[in-house]
Amino acid sequence: MNPIKIILTGATGMVGEGVLMECLENPDVSEILSISRKPSGKTHPKLKEYLVSDFLSLDLNDEKLKGYDACFFCAGISSIGMNEEEYTQITYDTTLHFAKAVLNQNPEMVFNYVSGAGTDSTESGKMMWAV
């Protein structure tokens, strides 16, 4: 198998950080491009970071997105305190725009939307697996 190159969003969050750690440890992954609003604070020979303040402003022809095999879209937020319009823009519109941008540069890419629904970093959540 040829080494694969990964694009990852949400590396500063609980779910995305877990995906990042797995990708860094996987010998089949040769490169990870972490795209986020702020630096992850991590350094590794496989890791490159691309800071984008607003995913909706990402250029559909952005050359920095070219040459990747898969994307793990782990960026997300809680709906607590948000109205439906704001939540839809952040979770739906932003995800679709990002997917269009990476798939425009990598038409054969596998795009994975990773949801953190029900996650609880305190490990005291009501979900059985979170306890």
Side-chain angles (χ1 to χ4, degrees):
M1 180 172 139
N2 292 331
I4 60 173
K5 295 170 71 176
I6 304 288
I7 289 177
L8 170 66
T9 68
T12 59
M14 184 177 72
V15 174
E17 183 178 22
V19 173
L20 174 61
M21 301 312 292
E22 290 297 320
C23 287
L24 290 174
E25 292 178 17
N26 189 321
D28 293 329
V29 175
S30 64
E31 182 179 316
I32 301 116
L33 176 64
S34 172
I35 304 176
S36 64
R37 291 177 291 134
K38 58 185 179 181
S40 69
K42 298 193 177 358
T43 56
H44 191 280
K46 291 184 186 182
L47 180 62
K48 294 193 309 186
E49 290 190 315
Y50 180 24
L51 300 182
V52 176
S53 62
D54 178 9
F55 285 4
L56 284 170
S57 69
L58 198 59
D59 185 345
L60 296 178
N61 296 307
D62 191 328
E63 290 287 322
K64 291 179 184 175
L65 306 176
K66 196 172 201 157
Y68 291 87
D69 304 296
C71 175
F72 291 101
F73 191 91
C74 304
I77 58 164
S78 169
S79 63
I80 296 171
M82 300 192 81
N83 67 44
E84 186 175 348
E85 184 180 333
E86 291 173 321
Y87 189 69
T88 299
Q89 181 183 21
I90 293 170
T91 60
Y92 182 78
D93 299 339
T94 300
T95 304
L96 281 181
H97 181 79
F98 189 89
K100 287 176 185 175
V102 296
L103 292 170
N104 188 48
Q105 294 298 325
N106 309 284
E108 301 298 316
M109 171 184 272
V110 174
F111 188 91
N112 298 282
Y113 178 82
V114 183
S115 172
T119 58
D120 180 3
S121 63
T122 67
E123 296 185 14
S124 60
K126 295 181 182 183
M127 302 278 193
M128 180 174 54
W129 56 264
V131 180

